[in-house]
Amino acid sequence: MTTTTTPSAKTAPVAQPSASLLERLRVPGAFLLGAVLLIGVAPLALSDFRLNLLAKYLCYAIVAVGVSLAWGRGGLLVLGQGVFFGLGGYAMAMHLKLTDAAATGQTLPDFMQLYGTGDTLPWWWQPFANPLFALAMTVLLPMAVAALLGFFVFRRRVKGAYFAILSQALAAALAIWLVGQQATTGGTNGLTDMRGFFGYDLNDPVNQRMVYFVIAAVLLLLMAAARQLFVSRYGELLVAVRDSEERVRFLGYDPANVKLVAYVVAAGMAGLAGALFVPAVGIISPALIGIVPSIGFVIGAAVGGRASLVGAVLGAIAVAWAQSTLSDAFPAAWTYLQGLLFVLAVGFLPGGLASLASVVRKRRTPTTTTPTPTGGTA
Amino acid sequence: MTVILNQSFTGISIGAVLLLIALGLTLTFGQMGVINMAHGEFIMAGAYTTYVLQKSISGAGVSLLVALPLAFLVAGAMGALLEWLLIRRLYTRPLDTLLVTWGVSLMLQQLARDIFGAPNVQTRAPDLLTGNISVGGITFANNRLFILGLALLCVLGLTLILRLTPLGRRIRAVVQNRDLAEVSGIATERVDRTTFFIGSGLAGVAGVALTLVGPIGPTMGTNYIVDAFLVVVVGGVAQLKGSVITAFALGVLQSVLEYSTTVSVAKVVVLVAIVAFLQWRPQGLYTLRTRSLA
């Protein structure tokens, strides 16, 4: 068992060479189990309605993968992920609205005929009629915005709370801007009533199942990619920047670039999640991307465990599930619970539920010190 | 010309509101590095204090005068309680205070909803503060003038406390060098709690002022908190003059932009201006000189 070296072991400085087979199969095994549950078991066990809900939660989980990267590993408290989620969602929704309109022989989406000021499509809507352009924009547009803000912010060493507040202000600004442009963005209502999805009818339950499979596959792929990134040299560097930015700078690296990559990749993931959210849920609106939902993206990761990829993803799914089951039945109780979850998880269990086992273990045997990453320094 | 002057006055009055809100934040953020997202809910507490007082005291003017000190005490007590319960455990993790206090703010909003109901409520302004004064073609709304005066009074009071009293000296010592202050025999924990009391109390006063310009509701704090934080970021921590200049500058910029474009575009442009400004001064307008690398 010692003769076979997996290719990932080479790029993983953290992997112990003497690790047992069981230890080495733990990560791929867990990944396989997750894949079987998501792709194999869930579609058989759940009704169409519940599967659609799960698809929605998985979109939040995709955002959480990025949050785990930027915040958990990089210590960048990203409070504006709603911006990127929204950019991806709107890019997708704009394309779907345009194809819906074209299918019925119209040139303008239905809401523009109601509220619009002119007969012509706004110039910045026009390229989104092209499916390839729209798909590319769902990821590239958020990444470009993140790169622009990140470049200016990180280069001048604006960090910590300042960065968090700026990213949050960006979310507020975008939501307010979208509300203000009623004629071209649908205003408060956002973009709704998508009927077709690249030639398929979205109201057909079979196609909704396909959308679920796409979302589940994207989540699994991104988790695998993030895992590779975490164990790579870059992943080590990112953690180093989080824990001691100055030392990394003295070693000759530029922490600004390291942080920028994490922020931009996380933004791209959020954009992709937003794009997948639109066909699954059928709406994108300012209420889904403002300050409150933006912090909501962080809550799941914080509760599950920001530094642990699986913890962040499961936390996002669990919190989204709890929200939709509890908020309808007991709206008041849910808000208290949400606040309490946040206070307890962040205040008293900074590693999230993922660290519960190691915290308990540490309590029992006080000699072993397993530092729980807090990611609160950068 | 009168349009410009009128718009500038609107800007200054927006700035005065921002200043009132940001003043307490500067204190808590500056001294302790605590990012208190529940600050907006302390504002709400001050506003609801005014509302409750008006129910029991008939005269609007009297109730407003009573509300100012009472709101200070109510919000201040809430702040001190929050500091004692949660924040003092988190001084080594400043970013996490943001998230924890956000959780607290969610709960406080819901509490307000349960006690006072979800719809917004309204208070009556005293007759004296409902009219306008016209000077040379420029119209000054009385309530806006009152808020401006209140904001300046708060700045003056806070400056005097920080400059002249023993408490102020201790606060400044802790801001400048916490460890040195500690070994010099200053009870930094008690200073922290007092600072938090004052900072949160100022939020309560801001809440009383806000009842004069808008409705009172469970989410009123959220509407102001991001703008107030931007004031602190641009102004630089730990210096009142930074907040004063920034609050008025942002207020005027916002109001001029709103006049020439739309509210939503103005928000975006202000944000871009702030990011551009931070290229020039990453630590804000005024900063404490330190030897730290960061």
Side-chain angles (χ1 to χ4, degrees), chain A residues 233-308:
Chain A
R233 199 180 153 77
Y234 170 76
E236 300 275 292
L237 204 54
L238 187 62
V239 172
V241 168
R242 178 192 76 192
D243 291 341
S244 180
E245 189 170 336
E246 289 307 323
R247 289 187 199 176
V248 174
R249 183 171 293 130
F250 293 152
L251 285 172
Y253 295 100
D254 187 356
N257 291 342
V258 177
K259 292 202 251 184
L260 189 62
V261 169
Y263 187 46
V264 169
V265 171
M269 289 181 179
L272 194 54
L276 293 169
F277 183 86
V278 167
V281 182
I283 181 172
I284 188 83
S285 76
L288 288 163
I289 67 177
I291 293 179
V292 177
S294 286
I295 295 188
F297 287 130
V298 177
I299 295 188
V303 170
R306 63 186 86 164
S308 146

Side-chain angles (χ1 to χ4, degrees), chain A:
Chain A
M1 77 182 180
T2 45
T3 49
T4 51
T5 42
T6 53
S8 67
K10 267 182 200 163
T11 54
V14 280
Q16 296 293 317
S18 59
S20 69
L21 185 65
L22 199 70
E23 192 71 10
R24 229 186 287 164
L25 284 180
R26 199 170 57 93
V27 170
F31 183 78
L32 209 64
L33 181 70
V36 168
L37 279 178
L38 275 183
I39 307 249
V41 177
L44 292 176
L46 297 176
S47 67
D48 283 342
F49 173 72
R50 300 220 163 262
L51 196 69
N52 184 243
L53 276 183
L54 184 60
K56 180 174 152 185
Y57 307 156
L58 293 187
C59 289
Y60 294 142
I62 293 174
V63 182
V65 174
V67 171
S68 177
L69 172 74
W71 184 35
R73 298 283 158 149
L76 302 166
L77 180 49
V78 281
L79 287 184
Q81 290 307 85
V83 170
F84 311 123
F85 188 83
L87 287 174
Y90 270 93
M92 175 65 91
M94 281 159 75
H95 174 68
L96 298 186
K97 291 304 279 184
L98 286 177
T99 45
D100 277 357
T104 53
Q106 308 277 345
T107 50
L108 289 180
D110 45 11
F111 75 93
M112 277 193 201
Q113 294 160 22
L114 278 175
Y115 306 112
T117 43
D119 297 332
T120 49
L121 203 60
W123 60 268
W124 51 275
W125 268 75
Q126 281 166 11
F128 285 92
N130 183 325
L132 285 179
F133 177 84
L135 275 183
M137 277 304 122
T138 60
V139 180
L140 293 183
L141 203 60
M143 288 174 97
V145 171
L148 205 65
L149 181 72
F151 176 77
F152 285 112
V153 166
F154 298 139
R155 195 173 58 104
R156 293 298 290 157
R157 303 188 194 175
V158 174
K159 54 189 166 189
Y162 282 26
F163 169 73
I165 291 164
L166 282 178
S167 71
Q168 188 175 42
L170 186 66
L174 181 71
I176 293 171
W177 183 79
L178 284 169
V179 170
Q181 312 298 308
Q182 170 87 354
T184 49
T185 64
T188 331
N189 299 332
L191 301 177
T192 53
D193 271 343
M194 268 63 77
R195 285 183 294 275
F197 183 64
F198 296 95
Y200 295 96
D201 180 12
L202 271 180
N203 291 326
D204 189 343
V206 177
N207 290 334
Q208 273 299 333
R209 293 205 152 220
M210 293 324 270
V211 169
Y212 167 81
F213 280 121
V214 171
I215 291 172
V218 166
L219 174 65
L220 288 166
L221 278 176
L222 286 183
M223 282 182 77
R227 160 89 196 157
Q228 281 309 305
L229 203 60
F230 284 177
V231 297
S232 73
R233 199 180 153 77
Y234 170 76
E236 300 275 292
L237 204 54
L238 187 62
V239 172
V241 168
R242 178 192 76 192
D243 291 341
S244 180
E245 189 170 336
E246 289 307 323
R247 289 187 199 176
V248 174
R249 183 171 293 130
F250 293 152
L251 285 172
Y253 295 100
D254 187 356
N257 291 342
V258 177
K259 292 202 251 184
L260 189 62
V261 169
Y263 187 46
V264 169
V265 171
M269 289 181 179
L272 194 54
L276 293 169
F277 183 86
V278 167
V281 182
I283 181 172
I284 188 83
S285 76
L288 288 163
I289 67 177
I291 293 179
V292 177
S294 286
I295 295 188
F297 287 130
V298 177
I299 295 188
V303 170
R306 63 186 86 164
S308 146
L309 185 58
V310 178
V313 165
L314 289 182
I317 295 174
V319 170
W321 173 78
Q323 168 140 32
S324 46
T325 43
L326 289 176
S327 66
D328 291 338
F330 320 97
W334 164 245
T335 316
Y336 286 124
L337 186 68
Q338 197 183 15
L340 201 64
L341 261 181
F342 222 35
V343 170
L344 293 180
V346 178
F348 299 95
L349 200 64
L353 291 176
S355 74
L356 198 58
S358 71
V359 168
V360 171
R361 219 179 299 137
K362 204 166 63 177
R363 280 272 161 85
R364 264 188 218 148
T365 52
T367 40
T368 52
T369 48
T370 37
T372 32
T374 55
T377 48

Side-chain angles (χ1 to χ4, degrees), chain B residues 114-270:
Chain B
D114 286 346
I115 297 175
F116 300 102
N120 289 338
V121 294
Q122 208 101 36
T123 56
R124 281 169 295 115
D127 294 336
L128 195 64
L129 295 181
T130 47
N132 295 311
I133 301 177
S134 228
V135 180
I138 315 165
T139 321
F140 297 101
N142 284 351
N143 56 355
R144 297 274 176 185
L145 281 177
F146 176 78
I147 292 174
L148 184 60
L150 189 65
L152 294 178
L153 208 65
C154 285
V155 173
L156 185 71
L158 199 55
T159 311
L160 289 180
I161 288 175
L162 286 178
R163 290 280 150 209
L164 299 179
T165 64
L167 173 69
R169 271 198 296 281
R170 286 199 291 271
I171 291 178
R172 280 184 294 141
V174 175
V175 173
Q176 286 180 10
N177 194 326
R178 175 173 290 270
D179 294 338
L180 199 54
E182 176 88 53
V183 295
S184 308
I186 293 175
T188 50
E189 284 189 8
R190 200 189 305 161
V191 172
D192 282 341
R193 199 151 311 142
T194 316
T195 314
F196 221 85
F197 178 80
I198 299 174
S200 311
L202 285 170
V205 173
V208 179
L210 285 179
T211 61
L212 295 171
V213 289
I216 306 159
T219 55
M220 65 182 291
T222 329
N223 301 335
Y224 293 99
I225 192 77
V226 174
D227 286 344
F229 268 118
L230 288 178
V231 170
V232 178
V233 166
V234 174
V237 293
Q239 296 269 3
L240 292 186
K241 57 184 170 187
S243 299
V244 175
I245 296 173
T246 310
F248 286 122
L250 284 186
V252 171
L253 182 66
Q254 174 100 15
S255 112
V256 168
L257 284 170
E258 272 177 25
Y259 182 73
S260 45
T261 58
T262 60
V263 179
S264 49
V265 174
K267 281 267 175 210
V268 179
V269 175
V270 166

Side-chain angles (χ1 to χ4, degrees), chain B residues 14-154:
Chain B
I14 295 176
V17 172
L18 278 180
L19 179 60
L20 262 179
I21 298 167
L23 213 51
L25 274 182
T26 318
L27 210 57
T28 50
F29 188 33
Q31 169 164 349
M32 298 179 266
V34 168
I35 308 140
N36 181 16
M37 291 296 283
H39 196 77
E41 277 59 48
F42 296 158
I43 294 171
M44 175 188 80
Y48 275 118
T49 305
T50 321
Y51 171 71
V52 171
L53 270 177
Q54 274 210 348
K55 297 226 143 184
S56 44
I57 302 176
S58 51
V62 180
S63 71
L64 189 70
L65 283 181
V66 179
L68 282 173
L70 197 68
F72 183 86
L73 290 178
V74 168
M78 286 170 73
L81 188 70
L82 177 69
E83 201 273 348
W84 178 69
L85 276 176
L86 288 173
I87 290 173
R88 68 190 170 114
R89 298 164 209 275
L90 296 169
Y91 281 137
T92 51
R93 298 188 275 139
L95 270 186
D96 285 353
T97 59
L98 194 161
L99 300 169
V100 167
T101 50
W102 169 258
V104 173
S105 104
L106 278 180
M107 289 193 273
L108 287 178
Q109 281 180 26
Q110 188 57 40
L111 194 66
R113 230 170 265 136
D114 286 346
I115 297 175
F116 300 102
N120 289 338
V121 294
Q122 208 101 36
T123 56
R124 281 169 295 115
D127 294 336
L128 195 64
L129 295 181
T130 47
N132 295 311
I133 301 177
S134 228
V135 180
I138 315 165
T139 321
F140 297 101
N142 284 351
N143 56 355
R144 297 274 176 185
L145 281 177
F146 176 78
I147 292 174
L148 184 60
L150 189 65
L152 294 178
L153 208 65
C154 285

